[in-house]
Amino acid sequence: MNQNERRHYLIAGLLNEQPQYKERKVPNSIQEQKLLLRALLNVRMPEKVSGEFLKVQDDYLREETAEKGIVKLSDLQPIQKGIYLWKGDITRLAADAIVNAANSGMTGCYQPNHACIDNCIHTFAGIQLRLACAEIMEKQGFPEPVGRAKITSGYNLPCKYVLHTVGPAVNRTAGGYEELTSGHCRQLASCYRSCMEFAEENGCGSLAFCCISTGVFHFPNQRAAEIAVRTVKEYRENTGSKMEVVFNVFREDDYEIYENLLRNN
């Protein structure tokens, strides 16, 4: 199969799983087909599927990632010893592990085509990731607490592992958002420490962090970056860790914040 055939096969299979979608017509545009496929993957519950479907899905997703371009640490220049800053799509990074900013349910974002990192990672890892996370949560028996981490395979991503952590949320109030507290800051630092510890326990030589909690959880970007940089540097200094760390950002303003922090501290 070529990519067009794989995409049509996957869309047809996902539509047929859901009676309410069976009459849905597949759009002619390749871009619209990609959006439909992603939306169907996003809303799919964590249920098993045939080996044939997985084979086609895996071939499709790996080809899509290859077309986007895989980024290795050797392609980057460290901004400090063992610490990198890179702006781009974290699902392209071939680090040993990448960090996903998850929610307490831990099974990904179910909003079709949402731009959050949780949605992106689950989309390009494939349906196996949601299944694996659902199994972990079923065994745990309660929502994931803030500040801890879980680890899964990266499946169809170029990384070996995904570390899932739930960051603190700065909640909306009548006048905007609640005031940032020392508790929020401690919880965010715990996310970074937990991921570093878990990555080392699993033999990772490199780890890429997203900007935990700064998206839909509304943690202020500048303060979040300060906590991230300080926590990672303290961990490396206190433990003697040689694990390489990438601070991955997607927005230009976040890049400027991290660059300033890393070049001046």
Side-chain angles (χ1 to χ4, degrees), residues 68 86-95 97-100 117 120-121 157-159 208-211 246 248-250:
K68 288 190 295 184
W86 183 69
K87 178 175 173 284
D89 178 357
I90 201 170
T91 66
R92 296 173 56 204
L93 274 176
I98 64 172
V99 173
N100 177 30
I117 197 165
C120 294
I121 287 174
L157 297 169
C159 59
F209 280 106
C210 62
C211 299
V246 181
N248 167 247
V249 301
F250 199 70

Side-chain angles (χ1 to χ4, degrees), residues 1-14 33 37 52-64 67:
M1 287 185 181
N2 59 33
Q3 281 298 83
N4 188 55
E5 292 167 335
R6 292 182 186 119
R7 188 167 51 252
H8 277 80
Y9 173 91
L10 295 172
I11 290 172
L14 292 167
Q33 290 171 14
L37 175 56
E52 180 183 2
F53 183 95
L54 287 180
K55 173 66 167 57
V56 175
Q57 176 213 242
D58 293 354
D59 289 344
Y60 178 81
L61 291 175
R62 288 171 185 168
E63 181 64 26
E64 287 292 291
E67 288 181 8

Side-chain angles (χ1 to χ4, degrees), residues 95-204:
D96 286 340
I98 64 172
V99 173
N100 177 30
N103 58 54
S104 61
M106 294 289 281
T107 58
C109 170
Y110 288 80
Q111 185 175 334
N113 294 307
H114 193 249
C116 71
I117 197 165
D118 197 13
N119 187 297
C120 294
I121 287 174
H122 274 267
T123 295
F124 292 102
I127 63 174
Q128 299 98 314
L129 182 56
R130 181 165 282 174
L131 283 164
C133 289
E135 289 173 2
I136 290 170
M137 295 309 291
E138 184 177 3
K139 289 178 183 177
Q140 178 165 289
F142 54 87
E144 181 71 1
V146 173
R148 300 199 329 200
K150 293 287 189 292
I151 192 167
T152 65
S153 168
Y155 297 100
N156 293 296
L157 297 169
C159 59
K160 294 179 184 177
Y161 301 108
V162 177
L163 284 155
H164 308 260
T165 189
V166 181
V170 179
N171 296 313
R172 190 183 295 274
T173 66
Y177 293 96
E178 65 181 330
E179 184 177 350
L180 190 69
T181 67
S182 59
H184 288 124
C185 297
R186 286 194 299 271
Q187 289 176 326
L188 185 60
S190 180
C191 289
Y192 283 91
R193 280 194 302 273
S194 296
C195 288
M196 294 280 284
E197 291 167 355
F198 225 151
E200 295 241 66
E201 287 173 12
N202 286 272
C204 296

